[in-house]
Amino acid sequence: MTTLTGGEAIVSGLVAHGVDTVFGLPGAQVYGLFDAFHQAQLKVIGARHEQACGYMAFGYARSSGRPGVFSVVPGPGVLNASAALLTAFGCNEPVLCVTGQVPTSFLGKGRGHLHEMPDQLATLRTYVKWADRIEYPGNAPTVVARAFQEMMSGRRGPASVEMPWDVFTRRADTASAKVLEPLPAPQPDADLIKQAAALIKASKAPMIFVGSGAIEAREEILELAEMIDAPVVAFRSGRGIVSNAHELGLTMAAAYKLWPTTDLMVAIGTRAELPASGFRWPYQPKGLKSIRIDIDPAEMRRLASDAAIVADAKAGTIDLVAAVKKAGYAKGSGRRGTIREATATAQAEIQRIQPQMAYLNILREVLPANAIVTDELSQVGFASWYGFPVYEPRTFITSGYQGTLGSGFPTALGAKVANPDKPVVAITGDGGFMFGVQELSTAVQFNIGVVTLVFNNNAYGNVRRDQRQHFDGRVVASDLVNPDFVKLAESFGVAAARVTAPDQFKAALEKALAHGGPYLISVEVTRDSEVSPWAFIHPSKP
């Protein structure tokens, strides 16, 4: 037993789980915790807004596969960071929020103590996977261990722990920190695996869909795909599991070309947002059969399938590969040629999405395969979902189905902290970038060398287009008045450049990457000049 403060006991648990970096914004309730960070020599990346702390932790987790940890004050601080926690929940990422509470004697009293919420834990539990309170220093190691266990078990997700203000500095005998093994995953059902193999054997044109739950199964998925000549497609989170450089690694634009003749959908570690009828793609081919492998049993009632295998993606795919080998599969004649043709046709067609594709083509040409790109809800960001080839998992980071405007830039900061030796580029629009523009100071203070692309069309471009098309040309609150982004960046001490056409972009990008420190490129785009990217995200029925 060791005598520790509550803050020190929490930190001992973090250190036991390999945490060496915390994103945080200190305040009165968590002074004792931040002092414990300092005493333990953890790297603390400060921020100028709580939301950025959460997004940086999300980017750290998403890009590395390791838990991201951040700390903010309770009440308003937690609520400011809630969009990032909700994003982590939607994207199934292990992000831990460590926050405070009112002093113990005020708990549940409703006396209006500083930052008090009626029931902070209840609120947190609506958008994190697991949350608990630590009311005594000696309980901290176990509660922290439980948080990590929950985050990393089954369908991954965020967690939160809170501690009353006074407990952070209270001392008590505390046991050594512990690490709990992840809860065991359900094992693949042999009969369902056999059913799935039979469905594959009977198919002529299967298609595999993958999401972030399949990242650790990338080798097995490629083996299955090559065995049955099945294209592998991801919408956002699973991009790079099978590289777009491989002829079976397709973007959504190319895969949709093959969708009308697809007779079997194999969904691994994904919500299957693309093929679920009416969600993104407007229909399912007649007679389509389906197989799902997912660790979350709830997924099987959200989208039913002919063979619903509840299992870890890697274990389930290993068993499925073995079963398919045993059953035998006759590849369709000319299947690879058809797949290559779909890719080539789609690649030619998406070039009409201009000027977005001109910039994305250059971005892919300049960046190495392992570079990390974060998107933002913007015209270039939307086009990147299918117009930017991805070669490795965890190198293309989006906010998933939450679509949280303003997430891209701070997420990129966290990704760069986790991957200091990889280039990191944030694709942003002028509207979304201004949600977190103040974090340019964070990038300078901690020398976080993210290259930020601000595509400036002086509007919430997608909103403006929708308003004009669907509301008789009326535009409401979607036109923007922006600063000079180059001057603004330079005022923070960030190197910057301006680009007004694609032919200027390559040289500017190469210079930004060579610079090594924080860099901003303001890309000026004429309002209403961008071709809508949505034809390949919500395609029409052929």
Side-chain angles (χ1 to χ4, degrees):
M1 302 288 281
T2 306
T3 301
L4 299 174
T5 65
E8 290 167 347
I10 288 176
V11 171
S12 72
L14 298 180
V15 171
H17 287 82
V19 174
D20 58 13
T21 302
V22 175
F23 304 93
L25 205 163
Q29 292 90 345
V30 291
Y31 284 158
L33 177 63
F34 275 72
D35 185 65
F37 291 153
H38 179 76
Q39 296 294 335
Q41 299 184 330
L42 295 186
K43 183 177 184 179
V44 178
I45 305 292
R48 306 303 293 269
H49 192 282
E50 290 95 350
Q51 192 172 95
C53 297
Y55 282 136
M56 286 192 288
F58 168 68
Y60 185 99
R62 184 63 137 184
S63 64
S64 69
R66 304 188 302 272
V69 179
F70 75 97
S71 181
V72 296
V73 297
V78 164
L79 293 177
N80 280 341
S82 62
L85 282 171
L86 187 60
T87 301
F89 181 83
C91 294
N92 308 310
E93 288 302 328
V95 172
L96 177 63
C97 171
V98 185
T99 187
Q101 246 305 353
V102 298
T104 302
S105 60
F106 283 82
L107 283 171
K109 299 290 181 64
R111 294 285 296 150
H113 205 285
L114 178 65
H115 296 344
E116 184 177 8
M117 285 177 64
D119 193 338
Q120 179 170 272
L121 267 183
T123 301
L124 280 162
R125 285 169 176 159
T126 64
Y127 55 83
V128 300
K129 183 180 178 185
W130 184 90
D132 205 353
R133 178 184 298 151
I134 305 169
E135 297 193 32
Y136 187 71
N139 293 340
T142 298
V143 175
V144 170
R146 282 284 295 120
F148 277 87
Q149 184 183 50
E150 288 289 339
M151 287 193 297
M152 302 301 288
S153 297
R155 187 182 196 128
R156 294 184 177 185
S160 182
V161 296
E162 65 177 31
M163 177 176 276
W165 188 337
D166 53 310
V167 181
F168 280 117
T169 52
R170 183 186 304 167
R171 290 192 171 274
D173 288 342
T174 304
S176 297
K178 61 181 71 175
V179 175
L180 301 176
E181 291 296 319
L183 299 172
Q187 293 302 301
D189 183 281
D191 289 338
L192 290 173
I193 290 288
K194 187 175 180 180
Q195 289 179 32
L199 288 169
I200 290 175
K201 184 177 180 180
S203 71
K204 298 299 183 185
M207 186 178 291
I208 300 172
F209 295 83
V210 294
S212 63
I215 287 175
E216 300 304 322
R218 60 182 304 203
E219 293 180 1
E220 292 77 15
I221 288 168
L222 181 57
E223 182 181 3
L224 176 64
E226 291 182 328
M227 183 189 311
I228 64 176
D229 272 353
V232 181
V233 58
F235 181 22
R236 289 172 296 222
S237 301
R239 299 200 64 200
I241 289 175
V242 173
S243 170
N244 288 141
H246 192 290
E247 64 182 0
L248 293 178
L250 272 59
T251 66
M252 71 171 96
Y256 192 63
K257 298 288 181 186
L258 302 169
W259 186 234
T261 58
T262 299
D263 60 5
L264 176 64
M265 175 188 80
V266 183
I268 305 174
T270 175
R271 295 183 180 91
E273 185 173 338
L274 284 177
S277 183
F279 206 7
R280 291 289 178 185
W281 291 353
Y283 75 104
Q284 290 186 345
K286 186 177 180 180
L288 181 75
K289 300 295 185 180
S290 63
I291 298 167
R292 297 197 71 189
I293 301 175
D294 203 286
I295 202 167
D296 185 356
E299 276 300 314
M300 303 314 179
R301 55 179 166 77
R302 292 169 181 151
L303 180 62
S305 67
D306 297 290
I309 301 164
V310 179
D312 170 76
K314 188 179 184 75
T317 308
I318 287 173
D319 285 5
L320 183 57
V321 166
V324 171
K325 286 179 179 178
K326 185 175 180 179
Y329 178 81
K331 296 181 180 180
S333 177
R335 180 83 164 138
R336 292 285 183 110
T338 302
I339 293 170
R340 287 192 293 268
E341 182 180 350
T343 296
T345 301
Q347 182 62 17
E349 289 181 355
I350 65 175
Q351 297 309 313
R352 67 181 175 83
I353 307 300
Q354 295 293 344
Q356 300 98 302
M357 282 306 305
Y359 287 106
L360 290 170
N361 290 339
I362 294 168
L363 184 64
R364 182 68 281 174
E365 176 189 348
V366 172
L367 289 179
N370 69 344
I372 296 170
V373 172
T374 65
D375 85 332
E376 180 62 86
L377 298 189
S378 65
Q379 297 307 290
V380 178
F382 291 135
S384 71
W385 294 354
Y386 54 82
F388 181 77
V390 179
Y391 304 137
E392 298 181 11
R394 301 193 183 279
T395 61
F396 184 74
I397 304 175
T398 80
S399 57
Y401 72 80
Q402 291 300 338
T404 37
L405 188 62
S407 65
F409 172 49
T411 293
L413 294 177
K416 183 64 175 179
V417 171
N419 301 270
D421 298 327
K422 294 181 180 179
V424 178
V425 175
I427 295 173
T428 73
D430 50 320
F433 177 65
M434 290 291 283
F435 277 46
V437 62
Q438 70 281 350
E439 304 310 329
L440 287 172
S441 62
T442 301
V444 171
Q445 182 176 355
F446 297 97
N447 193 30
I448 306 173
V450 168
V451 175
T452 305
L453 311 178
V454 182
F455 288 89
N456 179 18
N457 58 13
N458 290 289
Y460 292 119
N462 218 67
V463 174
R464 193 176 200 278
R465 182 193 299 115
D466 286 347
Q467 288 178 335
R468 294 182 67 201
Q469 289 182 351
H470 302 298
F471 296 91
D472 298 325
R474 294 185 294 275
V475 173
V476 182
S478 56
D479 287 343
L480 301 175
V481 175
N482 288 321
D484 182 319
F485 286 110
V486 171
K487 290 181 179 179
L488 179 63
E490 290 174 343
S491 73
F492 279 97
V494 174
R498 192 184 321 277
V499 166
T500 58
D503 60 8
Q504 303 168 2
F505 182 53
K506 183 177 180 181
L509 179 60
E510 289 175 338
K511 183 178 179 181
L513 293 167
H515 178 269
Y519 205 103
L520 182 145
I521 300 176
S522 179
V523 184
E524 307 300 324
V525 182
T526 303
R527 181 183 287 167
D528 298 328
S529 67
E530 294 154 304
V531 174
S532 172
W534 288 95
F536 298 98
I537 300 172
H538 285 298
S540 58
K541 186 175 180 179

